[in-house]
């Protein structure tokens, strides 16, 4: 069987899922089960196609074929970059197809199971075709299909007002900041080419287009990826969407935007050093702001949404550094780009798992509020284990996959020889600690402690939901412990720009990633340490009191809520949070103004076409006056926001000047000591804890030394 035949089978199976669900239209559960059975098989076919195609693309080959639809032809060219995204789509598509039938019982009251399957298939299939087509017009058409399908799926729970608002914000933002720049770029290129065939990638590459296209593509793909400052739609979108759709949106859709950025600006326009630095800068700002905002969230899905902004920052950082170094002909750029793509794959896996785990919590407790969720570790033990794996992965803890990709990003930035890039790497390393702190809060509040009113009746989710999560959890471990299995595929895109022998490429990747850290050795050593510690300090009963300055306090009286975590830290960067809230408010004002203008224009066209009694002059007057009112309202809000920011800065300056040394330094430290209760899940002696901490630190130092 030819490789393109496997690809075609996957496409056909996705399409067949729609009539299959229609057969059982009267039965909500049967229609969803039948549809997802075929989408699951389609994902397996796509995964097989990806695996069989790896040897070809690693050697520099390209898989090309054309779908002749009679009225139109769709050309395809699949290289290493396309194959990375095909792997992500196959894995997430399989996991969500297994997970979704049971989870979607949560939404049975809305009915229309066949419509859900049709939209799901259109959503996933459009992304597959986006990353494989080689014509920019088809790319744009499929991009709009992806946006529209994701919008309708996102507002599935349409009876909630916040869902409708989040959906409208997403719809308007995507069309103004993503689709519109793409339309402008395609129109300009078509004007130069003069034909649809001129929009083929090979033809565009020969045009040597100017700098304006970098800006258009950066805006179009940056907004879809949730890069700062066009990220304000994302924290509202994920809490609104069903969790399985959130897993696809965060795990795959925003990665398709990264694919679009690399494909257009590197392969079609050509490498540019300055553009690479800009991408890396946006990545650094995004990973900083996204992670710091995630740290203060108490809604589980909103916390994960902000982490999508933050983790996409790591991907943009690796990608930007790769572009900049490759533009200079530096072979380290091959590994830097591979590091960005490695984190792209890893983020898809662990963030998909986190959203599916949060969906499992929602499925059993009907709540996303971390202030109310407690004790689920005892009631949902398998979900707790999978969530722990995903949390450690996103935090960059070894030996899980997130550590290896972040390690490569750090190494390539530190060895770049560029002071600005090194600074970006230092910021990324620092913010990783905030990621860990955020998921300590996420995990301990939801799964630690004793079950309470809202969680006391919870139990483990059905087996298919566990199986879907288990696939992703297994990959979190495998891609961290055995990174060499995917590195050849990840380095193939960079080698298209700076040719290197496989031996040289593997030397760079392995020497940077594995010489200072050996995942298998880490697992073996810490496995033995864990067994020894368990035998030396076996758990004995549950905690009945916590330790605070030597005074016993009841556990229930002392239990931290999510909102109480890291209060001192939030207090001292309150100015940053306030500034972000004001800027987000301004972004919301812009979206609302554009949305109102869109509706006004629609009414104008309706009035012009359907009412001869009203003069065009009156219509234009109303439109212009309405636009003027919206503009003046926005400018007023902008001025008010600026005033609030200046007042806040002044107050902060005054308060800091009046602080005494003990209030500024020692008081927060006393507050932080209360967090010790978070780790009191088994009866422990402080001396034992100190001994274990010193032992772990010593082991890490030993493992970091070159062997």
């Amino acid at each position: 069987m030819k490789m393109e035949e496997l690809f075609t089978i996957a496409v056909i199976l996705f399409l067949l899922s729609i009539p299959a669900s229609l057969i059982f239209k009267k039965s909500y559960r049967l229609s969803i089960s039948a549809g997802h059975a075929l989408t699951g098989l389609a994902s397996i076919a796509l995964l097989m196609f990806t695996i069989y195609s790896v040897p070809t693309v690693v050697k520099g080959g390209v898989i090309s074929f054309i779908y002749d639809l009679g009225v139109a032809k769709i050309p395809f060219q699949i290289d290493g970059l396309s194959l990375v995204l095909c792997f992500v789509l196959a894995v997430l598509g399989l996991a969500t197809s297994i997970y979704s039938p049971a989870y979607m019982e949560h939404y049975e009251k809305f009915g229309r199971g066949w419509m859900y399957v049709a939209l799901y298939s259109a959503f996933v299939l459009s992304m597959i075709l986006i990353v494989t087509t080689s014509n920019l017009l088809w790319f744009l058409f499929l991009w709009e299909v992806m946006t529209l399908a994701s919008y309708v799926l996102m507002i599935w729970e349409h009876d909630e007002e916040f869902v409708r608002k989040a959906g409208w914000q997403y719809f308007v933002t995507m069309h103004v900041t993503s689709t519109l720049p793409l339309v402008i770029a395609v129109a300009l290129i078509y004007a130069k080419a003069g034909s649809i065939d001129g929009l083929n990638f090979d033809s565009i590459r020969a045009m040597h287009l100017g700098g304006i296209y970098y800006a258009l593509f950066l805006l179009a793909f940056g907004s879809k990826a949730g890069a700062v400052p066009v990220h304000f739609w994302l924290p509202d979108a994920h809490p609104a969407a069903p969790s399985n759709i959130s897993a696809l949106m965060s795990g795959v859709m925003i990665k398709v935007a990264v694919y679009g950025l690399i494909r257009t600006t590197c392969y079609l326009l050509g490498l540019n050093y300055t553009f690479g630095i800009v991408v890396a800068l946006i990545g650094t700002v995004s990973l900083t702001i996204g992670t710091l905002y995630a740290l203060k969230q108490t809604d589980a899905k909103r916390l994960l949404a902000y982490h999508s902004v933050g983790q996409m920052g790591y991907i943009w950082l690796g990608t930007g550094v790769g572009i900049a170094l490759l533009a200079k002909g530096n072979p380290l750029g091959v590994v830097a780009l591979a590091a960005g793509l490695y984190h792209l794959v890893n983020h898809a896996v662990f963030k998909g798992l986190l959203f599916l785990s949060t969906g499992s919590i929602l499925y059993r407790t009907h709540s996303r509020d971390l202030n109310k969720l407690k004790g689920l570790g005892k009631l949902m033990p398998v979900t707790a284990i999978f969530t722990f794996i995903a949390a450690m992965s996103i935090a960059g803890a070894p030996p899980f996959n997130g550590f290896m990709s972040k390690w490569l990003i750090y190494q390539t930035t530190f060895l770049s020889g560029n002071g600005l890039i090194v600074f970006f790497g230092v910021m990324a390393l620092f913010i990783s600690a905030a990621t860990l702190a955020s998921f300590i809060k996420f995990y301990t509040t939801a799964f630690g402690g004793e079950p309470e009113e809202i969680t006391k009746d919870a139990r483990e989710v059905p087996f298919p939901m566990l199986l879907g999560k288990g696939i992703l959890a297994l990959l979190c471990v495998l891609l961290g412990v055995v990174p060499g299995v995917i590195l050849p595929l990840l380095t193939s895109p960079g080698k298209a720009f700076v040719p290197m022998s496989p031996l040289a490429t593997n030397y760079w990747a392995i020497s940077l990633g594995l010489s200072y850290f050996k995942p298998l050795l880490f697992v073996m050593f810490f496995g033995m340490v864990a067994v020894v510690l368990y035998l030396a300090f076996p758990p004995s009963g549950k905690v009945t009191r916590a330790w605070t300055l030597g005074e016993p306090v009841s556990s229930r009286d002392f239990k931290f809520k999510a909102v109480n975590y890291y209060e001192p830290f939030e207090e001292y960067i309150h100015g940053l949070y306030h500034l972000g809230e004001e800027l987000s408010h301004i972004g919301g004002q812009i979206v609302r103004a554009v949305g109102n203008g869109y509706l006004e224009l629609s009414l104008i066209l309706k009035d012009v076409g359907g009412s001869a009694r009203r003069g065009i002059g009156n219509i234009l007057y109303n439109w212009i006056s309405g636009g003027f009112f919206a503009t003046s309202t926005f400018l007023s809000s902008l001025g008010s926001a600026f005033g609030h920011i200046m007042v806040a800065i002044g107050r902060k300056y005054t308060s800091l000047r009046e602080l005494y040394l003990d209030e500024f330094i020692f008081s927060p430290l006393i507050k932080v000591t209360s967090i010790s209760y978070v780790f009191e899940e088994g009866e422990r002696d402080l001396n034992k804890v100190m001994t274990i901490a010193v032992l772990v630190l010593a082991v890490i130092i030993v493992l970091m030394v070159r062997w």
Side-chain angles (χ1 to χ4, degrees):
M1 181 180 292
K2 296 181 180 180
M3 287 179 287
E4 55 263 34
E5 291 176 353
L6 271 175
F7 183 85
T8 303
I9 290 173
V11 172
I12 291 173
L13 286 171
F14 272 114
L15 293 173
L16 286 177
S17 66
I18 300 173
S21 63
L22 279 170
I23 294 174
F24 304 100
K25 181 179 179 180
K26 294 182 179 179
S27 173
Y28 175 84
R29 298 190 182 189
L30 277 178
S31 64
I32 289 182
S33 297
H36 274 306
L38 287 173
T39 60
L41 291 174
S43 300
I44 293 173
L46 182 63
L47 183 60
M48 293 174 62
F49 163 77
T50 303
I51 294 171
Y52 288 148
S53 302
V54 167
T56 300
V57 301
V58 167
K59 295 176 183 177
V62 177
I63 302 167
S64 301
F65 53 93
I66 296 176
Y67 282 170
D68 190 346
L69 305 179
V71 295
K73 295 181 180 180
I74 309 178
F76 293 91
Q77 284 186 357
I78 302 172
D79 57 7
L81 180 61
S82 300
L83 218 56
V84 171
L85 273 295
C86 285
F87 174 74
V88 169
L89 280 158
V91 170
L92 266 293
L94 178 59
T96 54
S97 293
I98 295 172
Y99 178 95
S100 294
Y103 176 77
M104 287 304 293
E105 294 174 4
H106 187 69
Y107 298 91
E108 189 169 0
K109 63 180 180 179
F110 297 104
R112 302 170 299 167
W114 62 273
M115 184 181 293
Y116 157 79
V117 171
L119 290 166
Y120 177 96
S121 298
F123 183 37
V124 178
L125 182 57
S126 64
M127 291 189 286
I128 294 171
L129 298 180
I130 284 172
V131 302
T132 53
T133 186
S134 59
N135 181 279
L136 197 57
L137 184 61
W138 279 108
F139 182 101
L140 176 61
F141 170 75
L142 294 165
W143 188 267
E144 186 62 14
V145 172
M146 175 185 71
T147 300
L148 183 60
S150 61
Y151 163 69
V152 181
L153 287 169
M154 193 186 82
I155 61 169
W156 200 252
E157 201 171 357
H158 53 80
D159 60 336
E160 297 284 350
E161 183 180 2
F162 87 93
V163 171
R164 296 194 298 272
K165 287 184 177 180
W168 179 243
Q169 179 175 253
Y170 169 72
F171 186 81
V172 173
T173 304
M174 289 302 97
H175 281 82
V176 173
T177 63
S178 184
T179 302
L180 182 59
L182 280 179
V183 169
I184 294 172
V186 172
L188 291 174
I189 296 172
Y190 180 78
K192 287 178 174 289
S195 67
I196 294 178
D197 290 338
L199 294 175
N200 288 339
F201 289 169
D202 292 336
S203 301
I204 296 173
R205 194 177 298 115
M207 291 182 185
H208 304 292
L209 299 172
I212 185 63
Y213 295 95
Y214 287 98
L216 289 171
F217 289 134
L218 179 64
L219 176 59
F221 299 122
S223 59
K224 179 68 80 172
V228 174
V230 199
H231 68 289
F232 50 84
W233 63 269
L234 198 149
D236 294 325
H238 287 312
S243 297
N244 54 337
I245 303 304
S246 294
L248 287 173
M249 291 178 67
S250 180
V252 187
M253 186 185 75
I254 58 179
K255 311 300 189 307
V256 172
V258 177
Y259 165 86
L261 182 77
I262 298 173
R263 177 66 69 192
T264 54
T265 60
C266 298
Y267 287 80
L268 302 187
L269 302 181
L271 296 167
N272 183 283
Y273 173 79
T274 303
F275 181 77
I277 294 297
V278 170
V279 172
L281 173 62
I282 292 173
T284 304
V285 173
S286 296
L287 68 88
T288 302
I289 292 178
T291 305
L292 290 179
Y293 266 87
L295 193 63
K296 64 177 295 187
Q297 304 305 314
T298 57
D299 182 300
K301 291 186 71 175
R302 194 171 180 85
L303 181 149
L304 296 181
Y306 271 112
H307 273 298
S308 291
V309 177
Q311 295 301 307
M312 286 300 293
Y314 282 95
I315 297 170
W316 278 63
L317 173 59
T319 300
V321 172
I323 294 172
L325 296 179
L326 287 172
K328 294 290 187 180
N330 188 338
L332 183 61
V334 176
V335 184
L337 183 59
L341 293 174
Y342 193 5
H343 202 66
L344 181 152
V345 173
N346 289 340
H347 179 256
V349 174
F350 59 62
K351 183 53 72 64
L353 177 54
L354 283 167
F355 270 114
L356 296 186
S357 293
T358 304
S360 298
I361 295 172
L362 186 62
Y363 182 81
R364 287 304 189 199
T365 67
H366 306 287
S367 176
R368 306 188 309 261
D369 190 349
L370 294 175
N371 290 313
K372 299 177 180 178
L373 296 171
K374 295 179 185 177
L376 291 174
K378 298 179 179 181
L379 304 174
M380 304 172 68
V382 181
T383 294
I385 293 172
F386 290 160
T387 307
F388 177 80
I389 292 172
M392 292 299 98
S393 298
I394 192 173
F400 302 105
N401 59 350
F403 172 81
M404 291 307 302
S405 52
K406 287 185 178 181
W407 179 260
L408 273 180
I409 292 172
Y410 302 150
Q411 290 278 26
T412 51
T413 55
F414 296 159
L415 298 177
S416 65
N418 183 304
L420 183 59
I421 292 177
V422 171
F423 172 74
F424 293 160
V426 171
M427 286 297 298
L429 180 61
F430 168 75
I431 289 299
S432 190
T435 306
L436 175 61
S438 177
F439 278 94
I440 287 175
K441 176 174 76 172
F442 177 89
Y443 189 82
T444 55
T445 52
F447 295 96
E450 297 294 324
E452 293 195 357
E453 187 65 29
I454 196 171
T455 58
K456 64 180 182 180
D457 296 324
R459 62 186 188 279
E460 195 55 88
V461 295
F463 176 75
M465 295 175 69
L466 293 177
L467 180 59
K469 293 186 294 185
I471 293 171
L472 300 179
L474 180 62
L475 283 173
C476 284
V477 177
L478 287 179
L479 293 177
V481 176
V482 195
V485 298
I486 198 170
L487 280 176
L489 174 62
L490 299 174
T491 54
S492 61
K495 289 191 292 183
F497 304 103
V498 178
M500 297 172 63
S501 67
L503 182 62
T505 305
N506 289 337
Y507 168 77
W508 274 96
I510 293 174
S511 63
L512 289 178
L514 304 179
S515 61
Y516 294 97
F517 179 78
K518 303 181 183 300
L520 287 175
L521 178 62
F522 181 93
V523 171
M524 293 171 59
F525 191 88
F526 265 93
M528 290 187 293
V529 170
V531 171
V532 170
L533 291 175
Y534 181 84
L535 295 176
F537 309 113
S540 56
K542 65 179 182 179
V543 176
T544 56
R545 60 188 179 89
W547 188 90
T548 55
L549 303 179
E551 293 295 328
V553 180
S554 168
S555 297
R556 291 191 178 276
D557 293 337
F558 196 77
K559 179 66 177 180
F560 254 43
K561 291 184 177 181
V563 72
N564 301 127
Y565 279 61
Y566 317 122
E567 283 182 311
F569 180 76
E570 290 183 21
E571 288 176 9
Y572 290 113
I573 63 169
H574 173 73
L576 174 63
Y577 286 133
H578 181 72
L579 175 62
E581 288 167 2
E582 293 295 341
L583 293 176
S584 178
H585 176 70
I586 292 171
Q589 288 287 337
I590 295 173
V591 171
R592 282 189 287 274
V594 172
N596 290 336
Y598 176 82
L599 292 176
E600 289 285 343
L601 183 60
S602 300
L603 292 173
I604 289 169
L605 294 175
K606 179 181 179 181
D607 288 341
V608 169
S611 178
R613 291 175 299 175
R614 295 179 60 189
I616 294 178
N618 289 334
I619 296 171
L620 290 176
Y621 172 79
N622 290 335
W623 180 57
I624 293 171
S625 62
F628 177 78
F629 177 74
T631 304
S632 62
T633 301
F634 165 68
L635 291 176
S636 175
S637 299
L638 182 62
S640 176
F642 181 76
H644 284 310
I645 292 170
M646 296 304 296
V647 170
I649 292 174
R651 288 176 177 172
K652 190 66 177 178
Y653 172 77
T654 302
S655 63
L656 288 176
R657 188 182 63 181
E658 294 175 353
L659 284 173
Y660 294 100
L661 184 64
D662 58 340
E663 293 173 338
F664 189 74
I665 296 177
F666 297 110
S667 179
L669 292 178
I670 294 172
K671 285 184 177 180
V672 171
T673 59
S674 61
I675 300 177
S676 62
Y677 176 73
V678 170
F679 304 99
E680 294 289 342
E681 296 300 335
E683 187 175 10
R684 299 176 183 174
D685 180 85
L686 290 180
N687 292 329
K688 294 179 182 178
V689 174
M690 196 66 178
T691 303
I692 294 171
V694 172
L695 177 61
V696 170
L697 179 61
V699 171
I700 292 175
I701 293 174
V702 170
L703 291 175
M704 295 290 285
V705 176
R706 184 190 297 271
W707 289 83

